Amino acid sequence: MQSLGRHVLAELYGCKFEVLNDINRVEDIMVNAALEAGAEIREFVFHKFSPQGVSGVVVISESHLAIHTWPELGYAAVDVFTCGEKVDPWDACKYLESMFGANQMKASEVKRGIIALEDQRLVVNY
């Protein structure tokens, strides 16, 4: 069985308020996380909420990185989805944990697009 991609869902706790609430810093950290993982960036968009919080996505050739922050709670929800063998989503997550100053990261990986070849037919398992 082979998968098309790896999707890491990460929860970062104890992050610095001033970092999570700064759209420019969040954008810079997310873009650099993609580069740290070896991804090729296509485009990115981020939005600052009032009174606080940032959401954004970095589109990469290999899929995407996305974030939503709750600065008042020191919390960020992140997902890093990569396809192919070249990019390691865990490298991006470790970078994010460090740069956001998290004191804890809970993360899990889901294999996406599990494909089996049976009788020369392509079968996708859901």
Side-chain angles (χ1 to χ4, degrees):
M1 298 284 255
Q2 182 181 4
S3 68
L4 295 176
R6 301 166 64 190
H7 198 161
V8 176
L9 303 175
E11 299 189 278
L12 302 170
Y13 298 93
C15 301
K16 298 175 186 172
F17 176 93
E18 64 276 6
V19 178
L20 292 184
N21 202 42
D22 184 328
I23 188 171
N24 295 319
R25 288 173 78 180
V26 171
E27 180 180 295
D28 185 58
I29 290 168
M30 290 293 287
V31 166
N32 283 311
L35 295 173
E36 189 75 19
E40 181 179 327
I41 296 170
R42 291 298 176 186
E43 58 186 291
F44 49 88
V45 62
F46 287 82
H47 176 78
K48 174 78 168 73
F49 293 96
S50 180
Q52 66 242 345
V54 175
S55 285
V57 64
V58 178
V59 178
I60 58 177
S61 295
E62 301 82 6
S63 195
H64 71 272
L65 290 79
I67 189 169
H68 187 77
T69 72
W70 285 263
E72 70 279 17
L73 301 175
Y75 173 77
V78 175
D79 70 284
V80 181
F81 183 18
T82 64
C83 299
E85 301 297 321
K86 182 185 109 178
V87 180
D88 187 342
W90 289 103
D91 289 342
C93 289
K94 290 174 196 165
Y95 180 83
L96 294 171
E97 180 182 24
S98 172
M99 297 305 293
F100 288 131
N103 62 28
Q104 182 181 23
M105 178 174 71
K106 292 183 181 178
S108 60
E109 181 177 326
V110 176
K111 301 289 186 199
R112 304 292 304 267
I114 304 294
I115 299 189
L117 295 176
E118 296 178 2
D119 301 326
Q120 298 184 352
R121 294 175 301 174
L122 182 63
V123 177
V124 178
N125 298 314
Y126 293 98

